[in-house]
């Protein structure tokens, strides 16, 4: 037709320009907001509540228009909500597994009816999440609700779980916490971020319509992250699960330190992830993938492009071609534009060249997609990327160098590798320290696969069967690890500094002097760096039994250096090889049985028969761990997408263990076995009260075939050594038995980088039974982290 502006299909494919945007009026979402007078209250006890005399905050859309206002909860609201959640837990957990599954699965049809409204609310408020992904979550966790008592035996729900998220967290990330908690029988209090609040309130309303008991799901809205700490302070809260950016997660950890409530952190926003293109890759597909990941999808992570030198020119040429005509990307605010301009200027000063889709506008909160070619791994815009459409590009020569570049980031959330060589893909996947890894794909997720945040990207596992255990506790456990309490007022910088006077043993009369023991570092028995010792008292405290070295920060540093050298090789050993070493350790303990029985008798005051029994149980426990090595592994899991997916349990790395006073030998071999059976290296701090059985056990370690540095034992003052473990950046996890103050110190301090904490208050230790066999499963789950590998077939 003459004068027609409609382009032919051939012309569209030639230009590859964007078509006109569809006009969105969000009619369904607007109607729901109008029904609530655009003023959303709290959701407590199955209904909307809008208390009088409450402050409110407005929520704006991407264009600056006001969407609605939300109430800021106060302490009275938190108390009412916690009481409702406690009652809701009784009702919800009292249902059978099939009844809970029926409620969750009925939500699938409810969401089908109201999916448009949920989708529009998410789009309107900037918390995008498709209804299909929510349906998949409901189907998956609904089936787990059905099978909980069948496949997960001897575990019970925690109680009331608080799910706290940051303002920039997606609805999918929230539901990845909420639905497994509900499926396991817990009640949930959600503290949503600003952008996700309307959609979360709508879903809470839909949950009630599907038959969820009143109080089983509550929503509290507030002005900032301090509301999450107020919720955690309630005595009825059993667990806090956080998802969002790391800064808010750190604030929450510090604010809740000392409350006696475990806090898990999943920093799903802002991580730096490698996008690796090997010379064996399909370059066209890889370039399409990186364009989509870095510039077209809503980015929750920052990608860094790593390209093999032999195909660099080809990749850059295709990037230039594909980026032609791409529009500028909207930034959140003018302040972000200043950060982007500064990052680009800094990159150019360091020699980087730019590949841009178009010229950058002189001002305004938008910027064109930009590739920074020639970036260095140490560049600030690589380590701490700015919030804009910038893609640093680095090069590598060998496969080993690609892994080094990929692991250079302090984050370990995800990676994408592109190659047609399956062997290379699997080798690289195993070597990269990330939770999710995609081969020839990116940003694919499914709740059936367990994913752990490696390095500084989290302290828990989400997804799969393994992700359910954070919302469960063993039914045979006599008490929670941490008793609820109020934080102690303490100067964290002074913790562990009030040491008792150091002692230099008097050896003028060796025949009468108590024995001086040595610690065990890097495979050798040695004195402490300071050369000082501490006295080991008899059970009644009336006499000195022996002296042990007073280790300190430098001793821990030396032990960690030794552990870091040996741990990768130990982790790569086959499970059967690790099992043989543990069997050998059990035989060595059998050979030294008499000496260790005497040490237990002298140190603890137990009778010889009771000491003999503890040694016998310890030998059996080491054999149990040896048998465990090759029995519990990951594997392939069914996924709805085409292709295959693997879930792999991996070692944490270096684990610090502060040992309990009770059952000094049995507790030691239980924790030692858990760590090294799964491929970790360990730094152990013996009980300050009962160290002699562990120091005698060093003789067994010396005669074993364990690699030097895999097991290190540093003796001394518990608080002082706890500080040394907490402040060492290489240690990934700390298992601690000690004072309430020590637990509070670790919760406050172990946030940069994040450490996985297993904390137990020593005053409740008498109720812990180290003889129960179920401890093996509990400790094994504490000693591994999970990785998912996606391999598409079409």
């Amino acid at each position: 037709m003459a004068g027609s502006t409609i382009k032919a299909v051939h012309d569209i494919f030639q230009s590859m320009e964007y078509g006109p945007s569809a006009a969105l009026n969000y009619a369904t979402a607007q109607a729901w907001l109008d029904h609530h007078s655009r003023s959303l209250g709290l959701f407590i006890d199955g209904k909307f509540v809008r208390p009088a005399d409450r402050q409110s905050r407005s929520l704006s859309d991407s264009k600056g228009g006001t969407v609605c206002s939300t109430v800021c909860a106060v302490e009275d609201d938190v108390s009412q909500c916690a009481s409702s959640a406690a009652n809701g837990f009784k009702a919800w957990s009292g249902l059978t597994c099939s009844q809970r599954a029926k409620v969750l699965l009925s939500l699938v049809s409810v969401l089908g009816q109201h999916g448009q409204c949920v989708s529009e609310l998410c789009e309107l408020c900037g918390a995008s999440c498709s209804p299909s992904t929510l349906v998949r979550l409901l189907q998956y966790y609904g089936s787990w609700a059905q099978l909980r008592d069948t496949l997960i035996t001897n575990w019970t729900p925690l109680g009331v779980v608080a799910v706290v998220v940051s303002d920039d967290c997606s609805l999918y990330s929230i539901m990845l916490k909420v639905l497994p908690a509900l499926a396991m029988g817990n009640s949930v209090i959600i503290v949503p971020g600003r952008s996700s609040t309307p959609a979360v309130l709508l879903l809470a309303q839909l949950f009630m319509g599907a038959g969820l008991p009143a109080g089983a799901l509550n929503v509290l809205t507030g002005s900032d992250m301090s509301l999450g700490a107020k919720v955690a302070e309630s005595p009825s809260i059993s667990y806090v699960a956080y998802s969002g950016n790391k800064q808010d997660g750190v604030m929450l950890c510090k604010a809740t330190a000392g409350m006696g409530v475990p806090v898990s952190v999943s920093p799903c926003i802002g991580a730096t992830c490698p996008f690796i293109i090997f010379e064996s890759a399909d370059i066209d597909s890889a370039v399409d993938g990186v364009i989509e990941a870095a510039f077209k999808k809503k980015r929750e992570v920052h990608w860094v492009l790593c390209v093999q030198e032999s195909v660099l020119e080809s990749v850059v040429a295709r990037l230039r071609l594909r980026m032609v005509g791409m529009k500028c990307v909207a930034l959140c605010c003018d302040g972000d534009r200043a950060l982007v301009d500064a990052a680009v200027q800094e990159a150019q000063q360091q020699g980087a060249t730019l590949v841009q889709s178009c010229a950058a506008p002189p001002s305004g909160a938008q910027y064109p997609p930009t590739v920074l070619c020639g970036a260095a791994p140490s560049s600030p815009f690589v380590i701490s990327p700015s919030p804009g459409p910038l893609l640093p590009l680095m090069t590598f020569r060998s496969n080993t160098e690609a892994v080094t570049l990929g692991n250079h980031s302090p984050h370990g959330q995800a990676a994408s590798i592109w190659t047609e060589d399956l062997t290379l893909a699997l080798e690289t996947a195993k070597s990269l320290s990330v939770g999710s890894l995609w081969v020839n794909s990116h940003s694919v997720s499914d709740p059936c696969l367990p994913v752990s945040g490696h390095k500084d990207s989290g302290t828990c596992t989400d997804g799969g069967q393994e992700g359910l255990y954070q919302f469960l506790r063993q039914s045979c456990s006599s008490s929670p690890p941490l008793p609820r309490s109020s934080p102690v007022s303490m100067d964290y910088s002074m913790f562990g500094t009030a040491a008792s006077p150091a002692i230099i043993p008097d050896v003028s009369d060796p025949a009468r002097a108590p024995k001086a023991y040595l610690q065990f570092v890097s495979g050798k028995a040695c004195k402490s760096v300071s050369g000082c010792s501490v006295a080991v008292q008899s059970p009644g405290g009336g006499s000195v039994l022996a002296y042990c070295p007073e280790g300190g920060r430098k001793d821990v540093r030396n032990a960690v250096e030794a552990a870091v050298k040996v741990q990768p090789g130990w982790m790569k050993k086959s499970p059967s090889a690790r099992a043989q070493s543990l069997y050998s350790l059990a035989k060595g303990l059998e050979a030294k049985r008499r000496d260790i029985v005497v040490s237990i008798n002298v140190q603890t005051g137990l009778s010889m028969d009771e000491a003999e029994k503890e040694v016998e149980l310890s030998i059996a426990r080491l054999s149990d761990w040896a048998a465990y090595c090759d029995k519990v592994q990951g594997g392939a899991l069914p996924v709805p997408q085409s292709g295959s997916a693997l879930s792999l349990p991996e070692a944490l790395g270096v684990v610090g263990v502060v040992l309990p006073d009770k059952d000094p030998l049995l507790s030691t071999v239980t924790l030692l076995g858990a760590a090294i059976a799964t491929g970790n290296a360990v730094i152990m701090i013996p009980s300050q009260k009962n160290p002699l059985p562990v120091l005698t056990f060093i003789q067994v370690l010396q005669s074993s075939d364990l690699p030097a540095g895999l097991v290190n034992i540093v003796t001394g003052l518990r608080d002082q050594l706890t500080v040394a473990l907490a402040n060492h950046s290489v240690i990934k996890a700390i298992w601690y038995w000690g004072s309430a103050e020590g637990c509070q110190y670790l919760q406050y301090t172990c946030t940069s980088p994040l450490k996985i904490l297993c904390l137990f208050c020593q005053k409740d230790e008498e109720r812990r039974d180290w003889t129960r066999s179920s401890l093996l499963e509990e400790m094994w789950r504490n000693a591994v982290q999970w990785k998912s590998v996606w391999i598409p077939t079409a």
Side-chain angles (χ1 to χ4, degrees):
M1 182 182 293
S4 173
T5 59
I6 300 176
K7 292 187 177 181
V9 173
H10 176 269
D11 296 331
I12 294 174
F13 272 98
Q14 288 296 315
S15 64
M16 293 300 288
E17 64 181 333
Y18 291 96
S21 300
L24 298 175
N25 56 14
Y26 307 112
T28 309
Q30 300 286 8
W32 184 79
L33 291 170
D34 289 337
H35 177 72
H36 291 275
S37 303
R38 296 191 174 268
S39 179
L40 302 178
L42 312 173
F43 195 84
I44 300 175
D45 207 30
K47 58 184 180 295
F48 282 97
V49 177
R50 186 170 180 82
D53 302 326
R54 299 287 189 269
Q55 292 183 349
S56 63
R57 66 172 181 173
S58 60
L59 174 63
S60 303
D61 58 21
S62 58
K63 297 180 181 179
T66 300
V67 176
C68 62
S69 64
T70 58
V71 172
C72 294
V74 297
E75 290 187 9
D76 289 343
D77 303 319
V78 172
S79 299
Q80 181 186 355
C81 183
S83 176
S84 171
N87 293 329
F89 169 66
K90 294 177 183 178
W92 180 239
S93 61
L95 300 179
T96 64
C97 289
S98 59
Q99 288 173 326
R100 287 194 294 269
K102 185 178 180 180
V103 172
L104 294 179
L105 293 175
S106 66
L107 271 165
V108 174
S109 60
V110 173
L111 197 59
Q113 299 171 18
H114 301 276
Q116 170 118 11
C117 187
V118 174
S119 180
E120 288 181 3
L121 274 177
C122 290
E123 195 71 31
L124 185 63
C125 303
S128 299
C129 181
S130 68
S132 61
T133 59
L134 294 178
V135 167
R136 171 59 182 154
L137 283 169
L138 286 167
Q139 291 173 335
Y140 181 76
Y141 287 114
S143 61
W144 265 118
Q146 178 76 38
L147 298 173
R148 192 199 75 182
D149 290 347
T150 304
L151 298 181
I152 306 178
T153 57
N154 300 321
W155 293 79
T156 59
L158 295 172
V160 181
V161 173
V163 176
V164 183
V165 300
S166 61
D167 286 342
D168 46 7
C169 187
S170 69
L171 183 62
Y172 179 85
S173 297
I174 298 173
M175 290 297 113
L176 193 58
K177 299 285 190 182
V178 172
L179 290 177
L182 288 173
M184 293 300 99
N186 302 280
S187 64
V188 177
I189 298 175
I190 307 177
V191 183
R194 182 191 296 264
S195 61
S196 58
T197 293
V200 168
L201 288 169
L202 171 58
L203 284 176
Q205 185 179 7
L206 297 180
F207 268 84
M208 292 303 108
L212 194 72
L217 180 64
N218 301 273
V219 182
L220 286 176
T221 57
S223 58
D224 54 34
M225 192 53 57
S226 63
L227 178 60
K230 291 178 182 177
V231 172
E233 196 172 0
S234 172
S236 60
I237 302 297
S238 301
Y239 182 71
V240 177
Y242 169 82
S243 187
N245 62 63
K246 188 191 171 186
Q247 293 80 5
D248 285 345
V250 169
M251 289 174 55
L252 181 64
C253 289
K254 292 180 180 293
T256 57
M259 293 182 183
V261 57
V263 178
S264 68
V265 179
S266 299
C268 58
I269 306 294
T272 302
C273 304
F275 194 106
I276 303 174
I277 302 178
F278 289 99
E279 61 185 0
S280 55
D282 178 345
I283 302 300
D284 288 321
S285 297
V287 170
D288 286 346
V290 74
I291 290 288
E292 182 182 25
F295 302 134
K296 290 188 177 180
K297 286 197 170 187
K298 181 184 177 182
R299 300 196 314 167
E300 291 187 344
V301 300
H302 300 283
W303 291 99
V304 174
L305 181 58
C306 305
V307 180
Q308 198 153 12
E309 283 186 354
S310 56
V311 293
L312 175 62
E313 293 184 2
S314 177
V315 169
V316 172
R318 284 170 170 80
L319 281 171
R320 292 183 188 276
L321 183 63
R322 287 288 287 111
M323 290 173 65
V324 171
M326 291 182 67
K327 298 179 180 179
C328 289
V329 176
L331 304 176
C332 293
C333 59
D334 291 335
D336 285 352
R337 174 60 191 269
L339 294 174
V340 171
D341 287 336
V344 171
Q345 182 179 0
E346 181 181 40
Q348 290 178 307
Q349 290 174 350
Q350 295 183 3
T353 57
L354 306 185
V355 176
Q356 289 182 315
S357 59
C358 59
S363 61
Q366 57 180 349
Y367 203 82
T370 303
V371 180
L372 306 173
C373 301
S378 59
S379 300
F381 59 88
V382 174
I383 298 174
S384 301
S386 62
L390 304 182
L391 178 65
L393 187 153
M394 300 185 289
T395 60
F396 61 89
R397 287 165 290 187
S398 64
N399 302 341
T400 303
E401 191 174 342
V403 171
T404 303
L405 273 182
N407 286 332
H408 179 70
S409 167
H411 309 113
Q413 184 168 332
S416 176
I417 58 177
W418 293 74
T419 176
E420 298 295 301
D421 185 341
L422 182 59
T423 301
L424 174 61
L426 292 177
E427 288 179 351
T428 306
K430 195 170 183 179
S431 301
L432 287 173
S433 182
V434 295
S436 294
L437 194 138
W438 302 292
V439 178
N440 298 330
S441 57
H442 67 88
S443 308
V444 187
S445 62
D446 190 83
C448 74
L449 280 180
V451 176
S452 301
H454 290 46
K455 295 190 286 188
D456 202 26
S457 288
T459 62
C460 65
T461 299
D462 293 314
Q465 180 177 348
E466 299 305 320
L468 301 174
Y469 289 95
Q470 64 177 309
F471 304 109
L472 297 168
R473 64 180 179 88
Q474 287 195 329
S475 53
C476 55
S477 179
S478 57
S479 62
L482 291 175
R484 291 309 305 261
S485 60
S486 298
V488 178
S489 177
M490 58 186 296
D491 184 350
Y492 293 100
S493 64
M494 297 301 294
F495 180 78
T497 59
S500 60
I503 299 172
I504 300 178
D506 180 11
V507 294
S508 58
D509 186 359
R512 299 178 58 186
K515 181 177 179 179
Y517 285 84
L518 299 175
Q519 57 188 11
F520 189 67
V521 175
S522 192
K524 300 176 182 177
C526 58
K527 296 181 179 180
S528 64
V529 173
S530 67
C532 297
S533 299
V534 292
V536 179
Q537 303 290 332
S538 62
S543 61
V544 175
L545 294 178
Y547 295 102
C548 64
E550 185 188 13
R553 179 180 57 83
K554 293 183 178 180
D555 297 279
V556 171
R557 179 200 63 192
N558 294 340
V560 172
E561 288 177 356
V564 167
K565 289 179 183 178
V566 73
Q567 189 271 330
W570 175 252
M571 180 178 62
K572 292 178 182 177
K573 281 183 175 289
S574 66
S576 59
R578 294 200 296 268
Q580 289 304 313
S581 294
L582 280 165
Y583 278 126
S584 174
L585 195 63
K587 290 180 181 178
L589 180 55
E590 175 74 38
K592 295 289 184 180
R593 175 194 293 263
R594 183 63 186 172
D595 292 343
I596 295 180
V597 166
V598 171
S599 70
I600 294 174
N601 166 255
V602 171
Q603 177 72 89
T604 65
L606 292 176
S607 67
M608 293 295 286
D609 288 342
E610 291 175 314
E612 179 77 32
K613 183 179 179 181
E614 182 174 345
V615 174
E616 187 64 37
L617 288 170
S618 300
I619 295 171
R621 184 59 51 83
L622 284 174
S623 299
D624 288 343
W625 279 123
Y628 228 81
C629 285
D630 58 356
K631 300 301 185 295
V632 186
Q633 299 295 326
L637 292 175
V639 290
Q641 295 92 339
S642 62
S644 302
L646 305 175
S647 64
L648 307 173
E650 294 186 338
L652 298 174
V654 180
V655 178
V657 182
V658 182
L659 294 165
D661 294 338
K662 185 182 179 184
D663 298 333
L665 180 66
L666 182 58
S667 61
T668 296
V669 298
T670 299
L671 301 173
L672 170 66
I676 65 176
T678 49
N680 300 286
V682 64
I683 316 296
M684 307 192 83
I685 311 300
S687 160
Q688 189 175 333
K689 179 181 177 182
N690 299 323
L692 294 190
V694 181
L695 295 177
T696 308
F697 183 69
I698 289 176
Q699 300 174 32
V700 179
L701 294 172
Q702 287 177 307
S703 60
S704 72
D705 62 354
L706 295 176
L710 184 70
V711 179
N712 301 272
I713 297 175
V714 180
T715 61
L717 304 175
R718 181 171 57 200
D719 290 349
Q720 180 179 332
L721 294 174
T722 297
V723 171
L725 293 176
N727 291 327
H728 204 295
S729 61
V730 173
I731 294 176
K732 173 61 178 177
I734 296 179
W735 304 343
Y736 177 83
W737 279 261
S739 64
E741 291 78 9
C743 293
Q744 179 175 332
Y745 174 83
L746 289 172
Q747 286 180 308
Y748 186 90
T749 307
C750 297
T751 54
S752 187
L754 289 170
K755 288 180 171 59
I756 299 172
L757 300 177
C758 296
L759 306 178
F760 300 87
C761 195
Q762 189 75 38
K763 66 181 181 181
D764 292 331
E765 182 56 24
E766 289 302 318
R767 287 184 282 177
R768 189 171 185 84
D769 182 9
W770 287 99
T771 64
R772 59 186 175 94
S773 58
S774 58
L775 270 175
L776 272 72
E777 181 184 4
E778 178 184 344
M779 295 312 305
W780 182 85
R781 297 191 187 284
N782 289 333
V784 298
Q785 56 189 355
W786 288 84
K787 174 187 290 184
S788 66
V789 181
W790 292 80
I791 307 173
T793 56

